[in-house]
Amino acid sequence: MHSTSRRRLAAVALSTVLAAAGTACSSGSGSTDTKGADSGTYTIWDPYPQFAKGSAWVKLLDACGSKAGVKVKRTGFDTSDLANKTLLAAQQGNSPDILIVDNPVVSTLAEAGVLTTTDDNKLDTSAVDPNLLAAGQSDGKTYGTPIGANTLALYYNKKVLKEAGVDVASIKDWKSLTTALEKTKKAGKKGITFSAIGTEEGSFQFLPWFWGSGAALTDLDSPAAVSALSLWKGWLDKGYAPNSVLNNTQTTSWQEFASGDYAFAENGTWQLAAAKKAGFDYGVLPIPATDGGNAAAPTGGEFVTVPVQSDTARYATTSKLTACLTSTTNLYDTDTTLSYVAPTEEVRNKQVAADPALGPWVDAVKAAKGRTSDDLGTKYPKISEQMWKAVQSALSGSKSPKDALTSAQAAVK
């Protein structure tokens, strides 16, 4: 790494990475041991500590190593721990050969000089949807390829809606959704639950409504943005959503929906297995935009990236490993294991053919958007923090939606 890159790396605050870390990853621990310089061993770091030796994921990594003629040494970390370990390893000149990292962190690591571009590492991104690839782009360069994507949509309880006299096909925009919530309350049931907690999870869940209003993250207090926050505030004031959303994580929000009393829950692809065990008939509806159509929801999921190595001869084998991991066959197997929607149309078609329940999620992913897209990069964590603070202020009643977002925009500037 050049000295200028080392200086950029030293200037990156770890809090930036922590703030940008994704919202739907599992926790765990791992070893920081890495490969010997000429050992023929290639290191892979990922945020999937839940997959132990013998799991389908680890078997895939080993198989790709065998195909490339090398041994793979894999370590799984908690998402935030992985980001910190990656920065430290880069400072020490001891980066893994392949890094699978949460998509909002890619631009931070790229700006720090940690990652190679796809022009350098020869990762083939030609089949990847542009809206998903954008999360790994910064200053016109691409720094990896998504291994899969998840996003948000509305789960709904078919029995609750039927008892309330709501035809889900009538829900096409904010007005019709609010009407459905009104009917649900009048029928003695509960409306909608979501996560508005004062963390990245709260911003993650607010973004579909924010973007669905037509607002942009560079203008937090626009009239469109105010309308989105006013929508949520109105739901709380009218009792369509519970006050518990202020402290709800996506997990506790899901637990409320799983009680069977709520008509809707905003949640992600990762709850599909839980939904099938909930004990009631459910459906999935893409989050509507204010005037109709599907709102852009934020993308979750990881990117396969290639960190900078002082021994550039390693890149040739690394390229073979990444090509194996992101092949059509392996993407299908991996995304099925991780409950992800694939980043390419070919693999998505295979997924939906095998499980038609993924259909609404495919539509949601097609409309999704990276949190660091639009060249926001490392600006996103600061914007997000002010956004969730504004949501908290407005929903708690300490400020009006307009005043809360005005303060947020001033803080970002």
Side-chain angles (χ1 to χ4, degrees), residues 199-381:
T199 68
E200 175 62 18
E201 282 191 81
S203 291
F204 189 74
Q205 290 239 319
F206 182 57
L207 275 172
W209 313 96
F210 183 87
W211 282 331
S213 73
L217 287 171
T218 51
D219 192 6
L220 290 178
D221 59 349
S222 68
V226 173
S227 73
L229 189 48
S230 297
L231 178 73
W232 271 18
K233 175 61 174 170
W235 288 349
L236 262 69
D237 289 347
K238 294 175 182 176
Y240 301 161
N243 288 327
S244 58
V245 300
L246 278 160
N247 297 309
N248 269 348
T249 64
Q250 293 179 110
T251 298
T252 55
S253 172
W254 178 259
Q255 290 167 350
E256 288 180 335
F257 179 67
S259 70
D261 294 329
Y262 282 86
F264 298 96
E266 180 183 354
N267 227 295
T269 327
W270 53 90
Q271 297 291 6
L272 270 175
K276 292 174 182 176
K277 298 176 182 177
F280 54 81
D281 286 339
Y282 74 94
V284 178
L285 179 73
I287 296 172
T290 179
D291 293 323
N294 297 343
T299 56
E302 289 77 42
F303 266 59
V304 177
T305 67
V306 178
V308 172
Q309 301 291 338
S310 57
D311 182 2
T312 58
R314 298 185 70 85
Y315 294 145
T317 298
T318 298
S319 180
K320 294 178 183 178
L321 291 170
T322 56
C324 177
L325 288 175
T326 58
S327 69
T328 296
T329 298
N330 289 335
L331 272 181
Y332 176 80
D333 292 340
T334 297
D335 290 340
T336 299
T337 298
L338 299 175
S339 294
Y340 280 167
V341 173
T344 67
E345 185 175 6
E346 181 181 4
V347 181
R348 282 197 301 270
N349 289 341
K350 289 181 62 177
Q351 288 181 303
V352 175
D355 184 3
L358 283 174
W361 292 106
V362 168
D363 292 338
V365 165
K366 285 181 178 179
K369 183 175 182 177
R371 284 163 276 175
T372 58
S373 297
D374 300 328
D375 275 333
L376 287 179
T378 54
K379 298 175 185 176
Y380 172 75

Side-chain angles (χ1 to χ4, degrees), residues 49-211:
Q50 69 271 32
F51 297 125
K53 186 176 181 180
S55 65
W57 170 246
V58 176
K59 286 180 179 178
L60 170 61
L61 299 180
D62 289 340
C64 286
S66 296
K67 186 176 179 181
V70 297
K71 181 180 178 181
V72 165
K73 184 176 180 61
R74 172 261 180 175
T75 308
F77 294 94
D78 171 83
T79 296
S80 58
D81 198 27
L82 174 59
N84 291 327
K85 289 290 196 302
T86 299
L87 285 168
L88 181 61
Q91 287 176 319
Q92 296 172 340
N94 196 28
S95 293
D97 292 287
I98 296 175
L99 174 69
I100 301 171
V101 66
D102 197 29
N103 75 74
V105 180
V106 174
S107 59
T108 298
L109 297 178
E111 186 173 303
V114 174
L115 305 178
T116 59
T117 70
T118 52
D119 288 338
D120 296 328
N121 59 43
K122 309 307 178 187
L123 265 171
D124 182 8
T125 62
S126 59
V128 178
D129 287 7
N131 67 313
L132 301 180
L133 192 62
Q137 295 174 327
S138 180
D139 293 331
K141 297 179 180 179
T142 304
Y143 289 90
T145 189
I147 200 167
N150 56 31
T151 193
L152 297 166
L154 295 178
Y155 287 88
Y156 60 89
N157 185 317
K158 293 183 178 181
K159 182 180 178 182
V160 170
L161 291 184
K162 183 177 180 180
E163 291 177 354
V166 174
D167 179 4
V168 73
S170 69
I171 300 172
K172 299 182 182 299
D173 52 24
W174 289 3
K175 183 178 179 180
S176 54
L177 176 58
T178 301
T179 298
L181 296 177
E182 180 183 7
K183 289 182 178 180
T184 301
K185 185 184 178 186
K186 286 181 178 178
K189 296 293 184 178
K190 298 177 181 179
I192 186 169
T193 179
F194 49 87
S195 170
I197 194 170
T199 68
E200 175 62 18
E201 282 191 81
S203 291
F204 189 74
Q205 290 239 319
F206 182 57
L207 275 172
W209 313 96
F210 183 87
W211 282 331

